[in-house]
Amino acid sequence: MTQAIELQSVTRRFRNDNALEDVTLAVPDGAICGLLGRNGAGKTTVMSLISGQDRPTTGRVLVDGDDPFENEAVLSSISFVRDNQRYPDDYFLHHVLSIAPAFAPHWDGELAAELVEGFRLPRKPAIRKFSRGQLSAVAIVLGLASRAPVTLLDEPYLGLDATARGLFHDLLLRDLGRHPRTLLLSTHLIDESDSLFDHVVLMDRGRVVLRAEAEEARRVAMCVSGVADAVQAFCADYPVLRSHSIGGLRTSTVTGRLDDDARSRAATLGVQLKGASLQDLAVAYGSGDSLQDSSKEGISA
């Protein structure tokens, strides 16, 4: 399978702190990959490296097999709009839309106009006066209408209402069906985006803790709930990622497959089992409760 994006043993150090440490991941050509994790996990740093806006301290970053840094041919195929994208104070929406094609060889003006209309973006106020949701909508317009072969969307949902988020999903899937590309999407609204993902990369504290096809990722862990003693007894045979107790009840997320043996043991102990969602996994790994050594290589399917 051709890889559109590769990070090979990448570390990014800022003075004495590692924003990324020994990160290895790959995103196949044409895939929609969810880049998940808490704030500060390293997601934006990964996107900055992929987009050529930064360089790794050690390791290699490849986009379609080439280093993107100061590589015009590669950079012309990448669109990256940050969650905190800045614009000149005197810019209006029409300024952004008129300049964008100069940086996006595959720009589609009709799609941009459709997105502007769908998000009901105003044309009169300067962009600096836009709300948080309106700024997110502008970022989505730039990201999708660029039709870049590699599109990076960093927290595109911030401030968007449910209707606007639904519009984004609908137009994204429609346009990817017509014009396939590789999409790396970072978001905290994981449950809403879950069905979009082909692949998942979950990060914590600058490391990759899980990388897998989305279907496989949904099968790597279970959520166990019930009376605390019974849950603790069930979890004795599994690595515990996170536990939460209220009174005499406990819920734990554990690494392991929800198979017949697990169901039989749960029935014997009187606990409830369900497969862990991607949201459950992100919460578990980001909680700080995980018993798994975060310095070890992440789970890979």
Side-chain angles (χ1 to χ4, degrees), residues 45-216:
T45 303
V46 165
M47 289 185 165
S48 295
L49 294 171
I50 294 168
S51 63
Q53 297 182 11
D54 194 10
R55 299 190 77 176
T57 305
T58 60
R60 299 183 70 198
V61 177
L62 301 173
V63 176
D64 290 331
D66 289 320
D67 186 340
F69 189 75
E70 295 184 348
N71 187 331
E72 183 177 354
V74 175
L75 293 177
S76 66
S77 70
I78 301 171
S79 173
F80 174 35
V81 184
R82 293 174 176 267
D83 66 330
N84 59 351
Q85 186 76 27
R86 301 293 183 183
Y87 306 94
D89 285 348
D90 58 349
Y91 263 40
F92 289 75
L93 181 61
H94 71 86
H95 290 121
V96 175
L97 297 179
S98 62
I99 291 173
F103 299 92
H106 305 282
W107 181 262
D108 188 290
E110 291 185 3
L111 178 58
E114 183 179 2
L115 288 164
V116 167
E117 179 67 22
F119 287 126
R120 300 181 179 178
L121 285 172
R123 297 182 179 273
K124 287 292 179 69
I127 287 186
R128 63 184 172 85
K129 296 182 179 179
F130 276 18
S131 68
R132 175 64 264 184
Q134 289 171 331
L135 289 172
S136 293
V138 173
I140 290 172
V141 172
L142 295 176
L144 294 190
S146 72
R147 286 205 171 131
V150 175
T151 300
L152 313 175
L153 297 177
D154 189 13
E155 296 294 346
Y157 300 130
L158 292 178
L160 292 182
D161 60 36
T163 301
R165 296 196 301 270
L167 174 67
F168 166 66
H169 284 165
D170 292 344
L171 292 182
L172 172 65
L173 292 175
R174 188 199 72 185
D175 204 57
L176 287 179
R178 297 174 180 176
H179 302 274
R181 73 199 81 165
T182 303
L183 180 70
L184 188 61
L185 171 63
S186 168
T187 180
H188 292 300
L189 297 179
I190 300 170
D191 281 343
E192 289 193 15
S193 305
D194 186 299
S195 62
L196 296 175
F197 301 143
D198 304 310
H199 287 71
V200 173
V201 174
L202 178 56
M203 300 188 65
D204 186 50
R205 300 178 186 180
R207 285 182 170 270
V208 172
V209 294
L210 172 68
R211 56 180 181 271
E213 292 185 2
E215 283 302 315
E216 179 62 22

